[in-house]
Amino acid sequence: TSLVEKSEGAATTAVAKAEQLVARESQALRAEMVRMSQDVAELLAEQARQTKEHDRQAGDFEALKTALAQHQELASDFQELKDQCNSQNGSMANLSALESQVAVLKDMQTKQAQAQET
């Protein structure tokens, strides 16, 4: 019976060691699953942050597009006003030239009248 007892003892020890190994491996796998779950949570949080940043940048881009369109509209309005001013300045120059010619003609008329009187 001593050989049977030794065999049973060896089998019991082997089973106990196997159970300990399974328990250690199971605990290691659970710890790895916890780490992986934390990594996934961190990745999801980073993705949410990046999505929020992207949305903010998209809003900034739309605001810039709107500002650019307004700037272009104002530049067009400014050019139109500038053209009108240049046109009016041309008209004012013509008017000034006409006034000068009228003054010369009046002066000539006055001199002619004075010459005729003498």
Side-chain angles (χ1 to χ4, degrees):
T1 61
S2 115
L3 185 59
V4 172
E5 288 175 354
K6 285 183 181 179
S7 292
E8 287 177 354
T12 303
T13 302
V15 168
K17 286 183 180 180
E19 287 174 342
Q20 287 175 350
L21 181 62
V22 167
R24 279 195 306 270
E25 288 295 318
S26 178
Q27 186 177 12
L29 285 173
R30 278 194 295 274
E32 183 63 22
M33 285 178 58
V34 167
R35 279 192 297 278
M36 290 174 75
S37 294
Q38 289 171 342
D39 289 347
V40 167
E42 288 173 9
L43 288 171
L44 289 173
E46 177 62 18
Q47 182 181 20
R49 187 196 65 74
Q50 287 180 356
T51 299
K52 185 177 178 182
E53 178 64 15
H54 178 266
D55 291 346
R56 185 194 64 75
Q57 288 176 351
D60 290 350
F61 178 71
E62 287 303 315
L64 286 172
K65 277 180 26 181
T66 300
L68 177 61
Q70 290 171 345
H71 171 74
Q72 289 171 335
E73 188 177 322
L74 288 172
S76 175
D77 291 348
F78 176 77
Q79 186 61 45
E80 189 178 317
L81 286 172
K82 186 177 170 186
D83 292 345
Q84 288 175 0
C85 284
N86 287 338
S87 175
Q88 288 176 353
N89 285 341
S91 297
M92 291 299 288
N94 289 341
L95 180 60
S96 181
L98 287 174
E99 287 174 341
S100 295
Q101 289 176 356
V102 167
V104 168
L105 287 174
K106 282 184 179 180
D107 187 47
M108 287 174 57
Q109 197 176 28
T110 303
K111 288 180 182 176
Q112 223 177 13
Q114 288 174 351
Q116 286 178 355
E117 289 177 6
T118 56

